[in-house]
Amino acid sequence: MSLSFEINSRSGNARGGRLITPHAEIETPVFMPVGTVASVKGVPQDTLEELGAQIILGNTYHLYLRPGVDTVRKLGGLHGFMSWRRAILTDSGGFQVFSLNELRKVSEEGVTFRSHLDGSSHFFSPESAMEAQIGLGADIIMAFDECTEYPADQARMRASMEMTARWAARSKKYFEEHKSEVPWGAASEIPTLAAKIAARMAHPPSLSHAGSGDATQSLFGIVQGGMDRALRKESAERTIEIGFPGYAIGGLSVGEPRELTREIVESTLEHLPKDKPRDRRGVGTPEEIVEYASLGVDMMDCVLPTRAARHGLLFTSEGKVSIKQARYAQDAGPLDANCGCRVCNRYSRAYLRHLYASNEVLAQVLNTIHNLSFYLDTMRRVRHSISLGEESRFLSSVWSRPKP
Amino acid sequence: MSLSFEINSRSGNARGGRLITPHAEIETPVFMPVGTVASVKGVPQDTLEELGAQIILGNTYHLYLRPGVDTVRKLGGLHGFMSWRRAILTDSGGFQVFSLNELRKVSEEGVTFRSHLDGSSHFFSPESAMEAQIGLGADIIMAFDECTEYPADQARMRASMEMTARWAARSKKYFEEHKSEVPWGAASEIPTLAAKIAARMAHPPSLSHAGSGDATQSLFGIVQGGMDRALRKESAERTIEIGFPGYAIGGLSVGEPRELTREIVESTLEHLPKDKPRDRRGVGTPEEIVEYASLGVDMMDCVLPTRAARHGLLFTSEGKVSIKQARYAQDAGPLDANCGCRVCNRYSRAYLRHLYASNEVLAQVLNTIHNLSFYLDTMRRVRHSISLGEESRFLSSVWSRPKP
């Protein structure tokens, strides 16, 4: 059993559950911090553990380019490479190929794209994207999809959705034939280096959660279909027909209005199996992660808390704080009096403002720790609220909207 | 009693002792990590505590310019401002005015200099430098001195040394008249904000070590005299005559050969009181901190471990490692197999190399933690070696020289 998902409580469309992966048991709905190149920017792994992160995300596109799949695979996959013992999810690479490559060339076979690092040419097919993700060794990986641009006409949205469906079938076929090659798998030919790393870690990555030694990764399908509800429904049906243990809603946050994103997610969710985890990448503000949880999304991630932290934008129970402002220069109070994170427990707004104004690296470190803490804490309160079945008070109980 | 110093063991000229300051008891010889603008770059305060740092250094020149003394003072001094409960030392500002200001103007009254941040004009006199350091509120502060350039002729070295002696007397006079104004002192008019910060810290800065509520800072004198042994001797005598609870050897690392630095330190130490702590700023490599400890220096600091870390240069028990090198790309071993720090316990050289190559902020964080750990650990072994009276094996027992 490489993945199991159980729903323990409901509140309206929201679900509280438990997702069991080879490396960790995850309470859902869950927020997944983004570690693009095998590092959640500025935050050591033990601090992520302290914050309660149960699963983090790596970007296949970035990791494929640097340090390269072969290096990660030889070091035991991402778990061994970055010394992270809990769960990891990698994305398909489709979104990055789309968003970072204006000169990409898409064919039935796959996508030719240029590295944003050095301009070198590369090719991702469903098969090579699977090969990369198997080498990276995340617990949950994604079928290779085409992210449809916005706006797009009906014919383009249909053609793109249909290609994603064909690619999903090819992804699954390759995955089923090669899943035993995962670097932490029983059939892996490279246990030596991984074991060497594990041997000197206080709490090495282990597969205890998966129970058996032949645990493998789990491949999720991705629903596309642009901004057309009927195409989304058809994409969901075709992806479900291929059959995956979980489903992601892709192709959003590509420039469309936020209200439209929400509508598409809501309508797509209706067509996804109720007993399988649903993943929605790139969500969002604290309000949005609460809202998408209320719609029935189980897994979310976003670079917003980490990226905003680097720009001095901090999320608090009383709304957003731009810590660079001079008004905080002599503010002895904590960033967020309602937050129990190690930053709010120890430092003043004046100090955080000084670090930011002085361009000190510690500013990024502390700001990121707080923002992640705020997101993870928000999701914790969402889960608690669901477990109490607090449907009517769902949104208001977990999130005080920012003061105007 | 604001400072006490006791020597418990000796090994040749090396001394093992205990320095008791208002905020911490410090085992000597001690290495002091540098936190230029109230942050040891990239390292949170709780991590510094874990590493065993008992005293850190702040730069008066930098803090005076940003965030400004008034801000730090209002927030309870550096201890409250940066939430650091152990000891702090601030330097005189003399070295930075010297090294960062080619256009400085020195007169008997003081030094006019330009901010390296915005070019604005400022003035430090012995009195204003004391006022700044009292406002910053470190446990140990430094008399304002003139750092003599290298090379300098005999007349210039003498004139400069004599001015430093006059400035030392003025520094002491101002300090004695104003030391009760320290922001954590009993007579401080601004206990409110500091108390507000302290109230929500799990372990607030306290003055327990000093014993009484009227503890103040301690002012150290600085010996100058350029590269002339006789002038150094005269400077030591004149500074001792003014009378301080500790003495620093200043005006070194200004471009002279390292062997000359060592000679001047060694000869100056002969003229300093045996029962008072001796401070030597800007030392050095791991070999040098061991060597200076063996000469009888009690307190040392250097930006080298933190600065080198930012450039991927790491100190290990087997010598220096430039982690950026491609040879480490798939090296699953720890950075230093003999190091017990949290970086060596958890991460591989391959991962550290990847973080550096990918320009990830975590590279600086982890590299700095390791280098500081290595320095603090080296000094711990020096102290242990002194306590065993291992004179003959002093150097070799605490430090394996890098392989050629």
Side-chain angles (χ1 to χ4, degrees):
Chain A
M1 194 64 176
S2 295
L3 193 85
S4 77
F5 182 59
E6 56 191 49
I7 294 170
N8 304 319
S9 57
R10 290 178 192 278
S11 171
N13 288 321
R15 314 111 63 82
R18 189 178 296 271
L19 183 64
I20 301 176
T21 72
H23 288 89
E25 218 173 285
I26 299 152
E27 289 183 279
T28 62
V30 65
F31 180 79
M32 307 180 283
V34 177
T36 301
V37 289
S39 167
V40 176
K41 293 191 188 306
V43 184
Q45 273 68 314
D46 52 353
T47 303
L48 287 173
E49 288 168 356
E50 271 179 40
L51 288 171
Q54 289 292 327
I55 176 169
I56 60 174
L57 187 137
N59 288 119
T60 299
Y61 166 89
H62 290 90
L63 291 162
Y64 161 87
L65 292 176
R66 192 166 62 185
V69 174
D70 185 55
T71 291
V72 175
R73 195 178 58 85
K74 284 186 177 155
L75 288 148
L78 282 170
H79 290 91
F81 180 64
M82 67 183 290
S83 187
W84 176 251
R85 63 185 74 110
R86 299 181 182 171
I88 301 176
L89 179 151
T90 48
D91 61 5
S92 69
F95 184 81
Q96 277 73 26
V97 166
F98 165 84
S99 64
L100 296 174
N101 280 272
E102 297 201 349
L103 298 174
R104 71 191 179 283
K105 273 192 183 171
V106 184
S107 70
E108 183 65 30
E109 187 50 28
V111 186
T112 302
F113 61 95
R114 290 192 177 280
S115 162
H116 71 289
L117 297 174
D118 62 6
S120 57
S121 183
H122 299 269
F123 180 73
F124 268 172
S125 66
E127 292 78 16
S128 70
M130 287 304 99
E131 185 185 11
Q133 287 189 77
I134 291 169
L136 296 175
D139 299 86
I140 297 172
I141 68 176
M142 293 285 153
F144 190 61
D145 60 333
E146 193 198 18
C147 185
T148 317
E149 68 281 2
Y150 175 85
D153 65 27
Q154 190 68 15
R156 165 66 189 139
M157 287 193 288
R158 167 162 288 284
S160 177
M161 180 275 283
E162 290 183 344
M163 188 150 73
T164 285
R166 292 189 296 272
W167 284 4
R170 285 166 57 188
S171 294
K172 184 178 178 185
K173 181 169 187 292
Y174 187 94
F175 175 72
E176 291 298 335
E177 290 167 3
H178 296 271
K179 62 185 179 183
S180 68
E181 295 163 17
V182 68
W184 37 264
S188 169
E189 82 277 30
I190 46 143
T192 324
L193 283 178
K196 187 173 165 189
I197 296 175
R200 59 184 184 76
M201 286 171 64
H203 303 281
S206 70
L207 303 176
S208 59
H209 292 92
S212 74
D214 60 351
T216 63
Q217 303 171 281
S218 293
L219 175 65
F220 280 24
I222 302 183
V223 176
Q224 289 283 351
M227 303 303 158
D228 184 286
R229 290 168 175 234
L231 286 177
R232 286 278 170 180
K233 177 172 187 285
E234 187 178 335
S235 179
E237 287 165 355
R238 292 173 72 157
T239 313
I240 292 164
E241 199 183 316
I242 298 166
F244 295 94
Y247 297 89
I249 304 174
L252 294 170
S253 304
V254 289
E256 78 281 10
R258 292 208 159 185
E259 185 49 34
L260 181 54
T261 317
R262 187 193 179 288
E263 282 173 28
I264 294 295
V265 171
E266 191 165 13
S267 80
T268 305
L269 284 168
E270 289 173 25
H271 309 297
L272 293 179
K274 299 255 175 291
D275 62 342
K276 297 275 191 271
R278 294 110 162 238
D279 175 284
R280 157 83 178 97
R281 213 66 45 69
V283 174
T285 63
E287 296 94 327
E288 284 171 333
I289 69 170
V290 174
E291 188 172 11
Y292 281 106
S294 78
L295 296 178
V297 173
D298 305 300
M299 304 164 70
M300 288 170 251
D301 73 82
C302 193
V303 294
L304 185 58
T306 41
R307 183 174 291 165
R310 296 200 290 283
H311 295 100
L313 192 67
L314 303 173
F315 298 97
T316 80
S317 60
E318 300 197 332
K320 284 182 273 191
V321 167
S322 175
I323 200 66
K324 69 184 77 171
Q325 292 175 5
R327 59 195 281 209
Y328 302 121
Q330 298 188 351
D331 186 337
L335 175 57
D336 185 348
N338 298 316
C339 176
C341 85
R342 60 157 82 183
V343 178
C344 292
N345 263 334
R346 180 150 197 170
Y347 305 103
S348 64
R349 290 179 167 195
Y351 184 61
L352 295 175
R353 194 261 174 184
H354 163 68
L355 292 177
Y356 189 87
S358 302
N359 208 22
E360 284 289 304
V361 164
L362 191 57
Q364 174 173 341
V365 174
L366 298 183
N367 291 348
T368 304
I369 290 172
H370 168 78
N371 271 358
L372 284 178
S373 175
F374 187 79
Y375 267 67
L376 292 164
D377 211 43
T378 297
M379 211 53 127
R380 228 171 263 126
R381 281 179 287 149
V382 166
R383 290 194 296 267
H384 183 64
S385 180
I386 296 171
S387 74
L388 297 176
E390 290 178 336
E391 182 174 0
S392 63
R393 293 183 296 137
F394 190 73
L395 281 168
S396 60
S397 69
V398 295
W399 175 253
S400 319
R401 288 186 174 272
K403 289 171 182 170
Chain B
M1 193 66 177
S2 295
L3 192 85
S4 77
F5 181 58
E6 56 190 49
I7 293 170
N8 305 317
S9 56
R10 290 178 191 279
S11 172
N13 288 321
R15 314 112 62 82
R18 189 178 296 271
L19 183 65
I20 301 175
T21 71
H23 288 90
E25 217 172 284
I26 299 151
E27 289 183 279
T28 61
V30 65
F31 180 79
M32 307 179 283
V34 178
T36 301
V37 289
S39 166
V40 176
K41 294 193 187 305
V43 184
Q45 273 69 313
D46 52 352
T47 303
L48 287 173
E49 288 168 357
E50 270 179 39
L51 289 170
Q54 290 292 326
I55 176 169
I56 60 174
L57 187 138
N59 288 117
T60 298
Y61 166 88
H62 290 89
L63 291 163
Y64 161 85
L65 292 176
R66 192 167 61 186
V69 174
D70 184 55
T71 291
V72 175
R73 195 177 58 85
K74 284 188 178 154
L75 288 147
L78 281 170
H79 290 91
F81 180 64
M82 67 183 290
S83 186
W84 175 252
R85 64 184 74 110
R86 298 182 182 171
I88 302 176
L89 179 152
T90 49
D91 60 6
S92 69
F95 185 81
Q96 277 73 27
V97 166
F98 165 83
S99 64
L100 297 173
N101 279 274
E102 299 201 348
L103 298 174
R104 70 192 180 283
K105 273 192 185 172
V106 184
S107 68
E108 183 66 31
E109 186 50 30
V111 186
T112 303
F113 61 95
R114 291 194 177 280
S115 162
H116 72 288
L117 297 174
D118 61 8
S120 55
S121 183
H122 299 270
F123 180 73
F124 268 172
S125 66
E127 291 77 16
S128 70
M130 286 305 99
E131 184 185 13
Q133 288 190 76
I134 291 169
L136 296 174
D139 298 87
I140 297 171
I141 69 177
M142 292 285 153
F144 191 60
D145 61 333
E146 192 197 20
C147 186
T148 317
E149 67 280 3
Y150 175 84
D153 64 28
Q154 190 68 15
R156 163 69 188 138
M157 286 192 289
R158 167 162 290 281
S160 177
M161 181 276 282
E162 290 182 342
M163 187 152 71
T164 285
R166 292 189 296 272
W167 285 3
R170 284 167 57 189
S171 294
K172 186 178 176 184
K173 181 168 188 292
Y174 187 95
F175 175 72
E176 291 299 335
E177 290 167 2
H178 295 271
K179 62 185 179 184
S180 69
E181 295 163 16
V182 68
W184 37 265
S188 169
E189 81 278 29
I190 47 144
T192 324
L193 283 179
K196 185 174 166 188
I197 295 175
R200 58 185 184 74
M201 285 170 64
H203 304 282
S206 69
L207 303 177
S208 60
H209 292 90
S212 74
D214 60 352
T216 63
Q217 302 172 280
S218 294
L219 175 65
F220 279 24
I222 302 184
V223 176
Q224 291 282 351
M227 303 304 157
D228 186 286
R229 290 170 175 231
L231 286 177
R232 285 277 169 181
K233 178 172 186 285
E234 187 178 337
S235 179
E237 288 165 356
R238 293 174 70 158
T239 313
I240 293 164
E241 199 183 316
I242 299 167
F244 295 94
Y247 297 89
I249 304 175
L252 294 171
S253 304
V254 288
E256 78 281 9
R258 293 207 158 186
E259 186 49 33
L260 182 53
T261 317
R262 187 193 180 285
E263 281 173 29
I264 294 296
V265 170
E266 192 167 12
S267 80
T268 305
L269 284 168
E270 288 173 26
H271 308 297
L272 293 179
K274 298 255 175 291
D275 61 343
K276 297 277 192 270
R278 296 110 161 236
D279 174 284
R280 157 81 178 96
R281 214 66 45 68
V283 174
T285 63
E287 295 93 330
E288 284 172 333
I289 68 170
V290 174
E291 190 172 10
Y292 282 105
S294 77
L295 296 178
V297 173
D298 306 300
M299 305 164 70
M300 288 169 250
D301 74 82
C302 194
V303 296
L304 185 59
T306 41
R307 183 175 291 165
R310 298 200 288 282
H311 295 99
L313 191 67
L314 303 173
F315 298 97
T316 80
S317 60
E318 300 198 331
K320 283 182 275 191
V321 166
S322 174
I323 199 65
K324 68 184 79 170
Q325 291 174 7
R327 60 196 281 209
Y328 302 121
Q330 298 189 352
D331 186 337
L335 174 57
D336 184 349
N338 297 317
C339 176
C341 84
R342 62 157 82 182
V343 177
C344 291
N345 263 334
R346 180 152 196 168
Y347 305 103
S348 63
R349 290 178 167 197
Y351 184 61
L352 295 176
R353 194 261 172 184
H354 163 67
L355 292 178
Y356 189 88
S358 302
N359 207 22
E360 285 288 305
V361 163
L362 191 57
Q364 173 174 342
V365 174
L366 298 182
N367 290 349
T368 304
I369 290 172
H370 168 79
N371 271 359
L372 283 178
S373 175
F374 187 79
Y375 268 66
L376 292 165
D377 211 43
T378 297
M379 211 51 127
R380 228 171 264 129
R381 281 179 288 149
V382 166
R383 290 194 296 268
H384 183 65
S385 180
I386 296 170
S387 74
L388 298 177
E390 291 177 337
E391 183 174 0
S392 62
R393 293 184 295 134
F394 190 73
L395 281 168
S396 60
S397 68
V398 296
W399 174 251
S400 319
R401 289 189 174 269
K403 290 171 182 170

